[in-house]
Amino acid sequence: MAAVLGVPPKALSLNGELGLAFGARGTGGIDAAAAHYEADKIVINLTKKSGEGSLGHEFFHALDNYFSRKRGKAGDFTTEALDVSLAGRNSPYHSDGLIRKEMIEAFGAVMRAIRSTALKARSSKLDAKRSKEYWTTNREMAARAFESYLISKLHDNNASNDYLSNIVDEATWK
């Protein structure tokens, strides 16, 4: 992932704070998530049997939460912050100064780009089967957009990495 993103490998550890577990943090079973990020423990868990393809997605959740933690909001996500929402709409906002303005602008640009696609409409169809919003939350749409970004960057380099990120075909979703 470091090579795809053009960052030093150490940067992926989020200053040494991010943990990675394999099949150690969940209960498994039918309908269990293939992977998840725990904001309270700052750890990504990939399940033993079906965690492949989820690392990029869960890393984005960790990164999203990392910048929120820098603001003293441990359980929150930057993609859901008011200033990011305003920046994403090119509206004036007040920066608290705890993270660089460039990061607020970058997260805002990601959310603006997502709104210019059909991702929210597709996500709404998935949420229609749920009792509460999940797929249409900013944090989830941003993590899924990051997956697509990784796949695209890999493709640009004539590469693929199904462990890092993969796309499930439409027949499988149905």
Side-chain angles (χ1 to χ4, degrees):
M1 186 167 13
V4 171
L5 299 175
V7 300
K10 187 175 180 178
L12 299 181
S13 73
L14 304 177
N15 288 330
E17 297 174 16
L18 181 61
L20 184 60
F22 295 92
R25 311 277 314 152
T27 57
I30 297 172
D31 294 329
H36 66 276
Y37 170 70
E38 296 177 33
D40 60 333
K41 302 288 185 194
I42 313 171
V43 65
I44 293 171
N45 182 60
L46 303 175
T47 62
K48 291 178 189 175
K49 296 183 180 178
S50 60
E52 69 279 352
S54 302
L55 184 58
H57 179 101
E58 299 306 329
F59 174 78
F60 188 85
H61 284 314
L63 181 70
D64 192 2
N65 176 249
Y66 171 82
F67 286 105
S68 193
R69 285 186 289 110
K70 294 302 168 196
R71 294 176 152 178
K73 299 178 181 185
D76 291 347
F77 293 83
T78 305
T79 50
E80 296 176 348
L82 177 60
D83 55 0
V84 168
S85 177
L86 292 169
R89 290 173 170 71
N90 292 317
S91 297
Y93 64 89
H94 170 72
S95 172
D96 59 17
L98 297 173
I99 62 172
R100 292 185 352 230
K101 185 176 180 181
E102 293 86 355
M103 291 311 303
I104 295 166
E105 295 288 335
F107 274 98
V110 166
M111 299 317 302
R112 184 170 45 257
I114 288 170
R115 280 196 314 276
S116 73
T117 69
L119 181 57
K120 184 144 188 172
R122 290 192 311 268
S123 299
S124 292
K125 289 179 183 177
L126 293 171
D127 271 349
K129 300 173 185 177
R130 299 178 57 86
S131 60
K132 72 178 199 174
E133 179 181 272
Y134 171 75
W135 298 104
T136 54
T137 61
N138 285 351
R139 80 173 85 163
E140 197 56 36
M141 289 191 300
R144 289 181 20 239
F146 184 70
E147 288 178 69
S148 294
Y149 173 78
L150 290 173
I151 291 166
S152 179
K153 291 292 283 182
L154 285 163
H155 181 75
D156 288 349
N157 292 303
N158 295 318
S160 65
N161 184 323
D162 285 344
Y163 197 81
L164 187 57
S165 188
N166 62 28
I167 294 180
V168 177
D169 61 51
E170 194 170 331
T172 302
W173 276 105
K174 288 180 180 180

